[in-house]
Amino acid sequence: MASSRTSHDVIVVGLGGMGSAAAYHLAARGRRVLGLERFGPAHNLGSSHGGSRIYRQAYFEDPAYVPLLLRAHELWEKLAADSGREVFTEIGGLMIGREHSAAFAGTLRSAHEWGLDHEVLGAADIRRRFPTFNPAPEDVAFYERRAGIALPEATVTAHLDLARAHGAELHFAETVLGWEADGPGGKARVVTDCGAYTADRLVIAPGAWAPTLLSGLGVSVSVERQVMYWFQPVGGTRPFRPDRHPVYIWEDPDGTQIYGFPSLDGPEGGAKVAFFRKGVPSDPDTLDRRIHRDEIAAMADHLRPRIPTLPGRFLKAAACMYANTPDEHFVLAQHPEHPQVTVACGFSGHGFKFVPVVGEILADLATEGTTEHPIALFDPRRARV
Ligand SMILES: Cc1cc2nc3c(=O)[nH]c(=O)nc-3n(C[C@H](O)[C@H](O)[C@H](O)COP(=O)(O)OP(=O)(O)OC[C@H]3O[C@@H](n4cnc5c(N)ncnc54)[C@H](O)[C@@H]3O)c2cc1C
């Protein structure tokens, strides 16, 4: 069995959204990092693919996320500057729903609590400013100029490149089979299908594979299949160009939410849209990656009354996975039983916009054992998880 030639301070397991950011932040702090990933760099078999993710600052899920998003914003800008890549773009975001919907009322509440810049639009304003939308007369919207798009594959690639530039050793196509940690102050060990490695610290960010690699954490993470759809609008993509079309979340009175993006792939491309939740429970190793006709039809039917020109021609679709905790808040902490192990999982379908700040927090926890960021909400021992 092989083992690494050099010794490492930290091993990062999983180099997707969160793990690649952690590898970069740790390497930039001068730590000797070994990163282990079962698939290739910026692959499309986990939770961090599909070209786009919504980025926003006002946060209906809980106002406690806002300070993290403000720090994430600084780090998104730094990542773009350091890597020379477009990793995010601010084009504005619209949260549409009835006055008491989570998407509208919850977002407004967090904006008030944190003094975030926004506008409130009535149905007539929505139609005038954003003519692709056909809201009901009772619908209202929260508009945030500083919302936009994070680009998942470019982000993961940027973090991996920068991690390598700071000396990190990254192994792809290498699956971690198990890990163990000695008593407090002791080392941690990882066994893979290629070898065995030891380090002072371990960061585990396994995405949808948390139920396997973090089964001892006492947190229930359930995996949900989610489909992203790209449609070419009737009459072309011009009204859906990013300089005139925001990202959006649209909540129905029954709580169903869809979210979507402008067209990012030029005149022949399409605009992406998806249901936010209500996916099928799945296993990451047997995920159904085929897209079924009835799913495409259900999405087109849902869109027709709301964004009538969007479901013109179906272009493509792709499956992705959410890794949900029961309360849909993240798990981000030192392992309760092994202080030398830091864990990041259960991002519950809304983690990508936090990727750079999660990387910073993981580096804080792995090097200092603590962080100044407010992460009490993400404690694995909180009630109901
Ligand atoms: C369809 C969809 C839409 C989304 N939309 C948004 C959005 O608009 N805004 C937003 O903020 N968030 C969104 N999210 C959520 C966000 O993308 C995820 O929260 C985030 O990507 C999770 O990152 P991760 O690092 O936890 O998982 P991943 O990126 O999947 O990384 C986990 C990595 O661990 C590796 N791994 C697992 N087990 C092993 C092992 N045994 N050995 C080695 N490697 C291993 C995996 O191969 C993978 O690369 C969306 C997610 C999906 C699926």
Side-chain angles (χ1 to χ4, degrees):
M1 184 172 275
S3 68
S4 186
R5 292 172 301 279
T6 46
S7 65
H8 298 95
D9 299 321
V10 189
I11 298 172
V12 178
V13 176
L15 295 175
M18 308 305 169
S20 61
Y24 159 62
H25 280 274
L26 285 160
R29 292 182 194 190
R31 297 303 190 277
R32 288 166 303 168
V33 174
L34 171 65
L36 299 171
E37 165 59 50
R38 67 188 304 164
F39 299 121
H43 63 86
N44 62 1
L45 300 169
S47 304
S48 299
H49 58 283
S52 52
R53 293 287 184 270
I54 290 187
Y55 164 88
R56 50 200 158 99
Q57 292 194 344
Y59 219 60
F60 67 79
E61 287 85 345
D62 198 302
Y65 287 88
V66 174
L68 297 175
L69 288 164
L70 298 177
R71 175 60 180 154
H73 183 260
E74 294 172 355
L75 292 171
W76 279 112
E77 287 188 327
K78 182 168 165 20
L79 181 63
D82 290 352
S83 67
R85 285 176 191 271
E86 185 185 15
V87 288
F88 88 119
T89 169
E90 277 178 15
I91 57 160
L94 204 59
M95 305 288 128
I96 310 177
R98 298 295 154 91
E99 210 160 338
H100 299 292
S101 61
F104 175 78
T107 306
L108 190 62
R109 179 165 75 97
S110 80
H112 283 155
E113 196 164 307
W114 289 95
L116 301 175
D117 223 19
H118 65 279
E119 291 173 63
V120 170
L121 308 180
D125 305 321
I126 301 171
R127 286 170 190 278
R128 198 169 42 246
R129 292 262 297 269
F130 305 109
T132 59
F133 295 119
N134 182 35
E138 307 81 22
D139 281 333
V140 285
F142 175 99
Y143 179 71
E144 182 176 43
R145 195 177 48 81
R146 306 212 74 168
I149 304 168
L151 285 73
E153 291 88 347
T155 301
V156 173
T157 305
H159 276 137
L160 294 176
D161 287 352
L162 288 170
R164 243 189 241 104
H166 283 94
E169 181 182 335
L170 307 178
H171 296 189
F172 295 94
E174 181 162 354
T175 301
V176 171
L177 303 174
W179 60 271
E180 58 183 20
D182 295 338
K187 299 225 177 231
R189 264 179 307 283
V190 165
V191 176
T192 75
D193 54 359
C194 303
Y197 311 93
T198 302
D200 296 333
R201 299 279 183 272
L202 197 54
V203 172
I204 307 182
W209 286 267
T212 318
L213 275 185
L214 292 174
S215 57
L217 192 58
V219 170
S220 137
V221 174
S222 53
V223 175
E224 188 183 349
R225 174 180 175 273
Q226 286 291 343
V227 178
M228 305 172 266
Y229 303 86
W230 284 259
F231 290 95
Q232 186 163 56
V234 180
T237 51
R238 208 176 145 73
F240 288 85
R241 276 190 351 209
D243 57 350
R244 58 179 63 176
H245 202 286
V247 296
Y248 55 91
I249 297 180
W250 190 325
E251 182 172 324
D252 278 5
D254 70 358
T256 303
Q257 293 179 334
I258 56 165
Y259 63 92
F261 299 81
S263 168
L264 301 175
D265 305 322
E268 297 308 312
K272 186 174 108 176
V273 63
F275 285 105
F276 198 169
R277 302 208 170 274
K278 302 189 177 175
V280 178
S282 297
D283 178 313
D285 295 322
T286 57
L287 180 73
D288 181 4
R289 294 186 185 275
R290 288 165 308 168
I291 309 300
H292 305 275
R293 270 171 204 271
D294 57 335
E295 310 185 272
I296 302 165
M299 177 50 95
D301 288 346
H302 189 88
L303 288 173
R304 241 169 244 115
R306 296 168 182 82
I307 314 178
T309 55
L310 180 52
R313 192 159 62 90
F314 169 73
L315 291 180
K316 61 174 181 176
C320 181
M321 291 180 282
Y322 287 179
N324 295 323
T325 61
D327 62 7
E328 293 171 3
H329 295 308
F330 310 157
V331 173
L332 189 53
Q334 277 185 311
H335 194 293
E337 285 162 30
H338 308 289
Q340 63 274 64
V341 180
T342 302
V343 297
C345 66
F347 288 93
S348 303
H350 62 118
F352 207 86
K353 61 185 82 60
F354 298 88
V355 154
V357 72
V358 169
E360 181 169 79
I361 291 167
L362 291 172
D364 288 347
L365 294 174
T367 56
E368 315 295 332
T370 180
T371 180
E372 287 179 358
H373 290 295
I375 59 166
L377 186 60
F378 312 137
D379 188 329
R381 291 159 301 185
R382 67 186 183 265
R384 297 191 295 121
V385 177

